[in-house]
Amino acid sequence: MAGDLSLIDTAKYVAARRAADMVQNGMRVGLGTGSTAAWMVRRLGERVREEGLAIKGVPTSTRTAQLARELGIEVVSLDQAGWLDITIDGADEFDRELNLIKGGGGAHLQEKIVATASDQMVVIADAGKEVETLGAFPLPVEVIPFGWQTTRTLIEEVLDTMDVLGTRSALRMNGEAPFVTDEGNHVLDLHLQRIGNPRQMALVLNQVPGVVENGLFIDICDKVVIGYGDGRVELRDINEGTVELDELFDGGKDNLFTDLAD
């Protein structure tokens, strides 16, 4: 399959490819969820077929598991894997300290569990996902269905005491019905506009009865691979304090990703 990619698709493609090429034979790999992560999974599938790459993949959602199996990647559970060498996943926002907002796809609970069970977490993203301050993207909070409206009220009361610009919350919907996560829970999207203290926010939200997990990933990400529309790819390592800029990839022709929706 061939065709020219848009600038945003090129950025996602080069980030996904660069991160997938970090994976070595024999690794246990956390497989993220989302459009950019799906491109990474496809690159790994290509390496499995063409290079004989042997890995065990731990998916963070049912849809990622299905894609990985279709591509010939061996899929195991986290319990079976025990501990992972690397997790590669996308992000909805990241700041200069590599704190993240995740959960636009509703998989942040499994994503956080898998990421924290890994030697390193690598985030792949286009350059537009970098922000000075987290919060423009709505913060997902997974809540149990029982008493979710009470949980929502408690969350909004907490938000009144936090350093944020907005306090509106909305139940995520799937058509006319509430969105349901893989664990059978609901998601409240918090429209905060700006999160002044993400660390405090993450801790406080998880103390609210009914909250399962929030989409703030604090001190979890080790590296971010940033793709640009011109094909450049930048690798930042928060632990080493290094920044690398790679040569251009040809993301416009004969790649496996042009059929994926954004």
Side-chain angles (χ1 to χ4, degrees), residues 5-20:
L5 294 176
S6 67
L7 293 178
I8 187 67
D9 286 340
T10 297
K12 291 182 177 183
Y13 167 69
V14 296
R17 175 165 179 154
R18 176 66 178 83

Side-chain angles (χ1 to χ4, degrees), residues 20 23-29 31 40-41 44-45 47-48 52-58 72-76:
V23 175
Q24 300 176 14
N25 203 52
M27 278 188 168
R28 293 159 295 179
V29 184
L31 305 175
M40 176 271 301
V41 174
L44 288 177
R47 293 189 62 198
V48 167
L53 180 71
I55 59 173
K56 297 182 185 297
V58 176
I73 298 171
E74 181 181 356
V75 172
V76 300

Side-chain angles (χ1 to χ4, degrees), residues 9-218:
D9 286 340
T10 297
K12 291 182 177 183
Y13 167 69
V14 296
R17 175 165 179 154
R18 176 66 178 83
D21 288 349
M22 296 179 184
V23 175
Q24 300 176 14
N25 203 52
M27 278 188 168
R28 293 159 295 179
V29 184
L31 305 175
T33 297
S35 61
T36 311
W39 294 13
M40 176 271 301
V41 174
R42 289 203 168 199
R43 170 59 179 165
L44 288 177
E46 180 184 45
R47 293 189 62 198
V48 167
R49 292 190 305 274
E50 297 183 358
E51 303 173 18
L53 180 71
I55 59 173
K56 297 182 185 297
V58 176
T60 55
S61 67
T62 54
R63 57 188 180 276
T64 296
Q66 180 180 353
L67 177 61
R69 290 190 179 100
E70 290 173 354
L71 295 170
I73 298 171
E74 181 181 356
V75 172
V76 300
S77 69
L78 182 57
D79 289 335
Q80 290 172 319
W83 193 261
L84 306 181
D85 299 288
I86 188 173
T87 288
I88 305 174
D89 205 347
D92 298 301
E93 284 186 347
F94 68 92
D95 65 16
R96 67 180 64 184
E97 297 178 352
L98 303 194
N99 295 315
L100 319 171
I101 286 183
K102 290 180 52 57
H108 53 285
L109 174 56
Q110 288 191 24
E111 290 172 333
K112 188 174 286 189
I113 293 171
V114 169
T116 54
S118 306
D119 285 339
Q120 63 174 324
M121 181 194 188
V122 177
V123 160
I124 48 179
D126 62 87
K129 299 295 176 60
E130 183 172 13
V131 296
E132 186 69 26
T133 305
L134 298 177
F137 190 92
L139 175 63
V141 179
E142 185 161 342
V143 300
I144 65 171
F146 175 80
W148 72 265
Q149 294 189 58
T150 298
T151 302
R152 177 182 181 177
T153 298
L154 293 172
I155 289 173
E156 290 179 343
E157 290 178 355
V158 165
L159 293 179
D160 284 335
T161 69
M162 306 296 289
D163 182 10
V164 295
L165 292 181
T167 58
R168 183 173 68 86
S169 65
L171 179 67
R172 188 178 299 184
M173 303 297 288
N174 182 14
E176 297 183 357
F179 174 85
V180 178
T181 69
D182 281 351
E183 290 73 36
N185 297 317
H186 296 332
V187 173
L188 294 173
D189 289 312
L190 310 186
H191 296 262
L192 308 177
Q193 302 177 47
R194 174 186 176 276
I195 302 173
N197 190 331
R199 188 182 306 276
Q200 180 188 43
M201 176 70 71
L203 292 173
V204 170
L205 284 175
N206 280 6
Q207 299 304 309
V208 176
V211 170
V212 181
E213 189 54 84
N214 67 80
L216 284 166
F217 284 50
I218 309 298

Side-chain angles (χ1 to χ4, degrees), residues 1-6 10 250-255 257-258:
M1 128 193 358
D4 293 333
L5 294 176
S6 67
T10 297
D250 181 7
K253 297 181 180 179
D254 296 324
N255 66 75
F257 310 118
T258 52

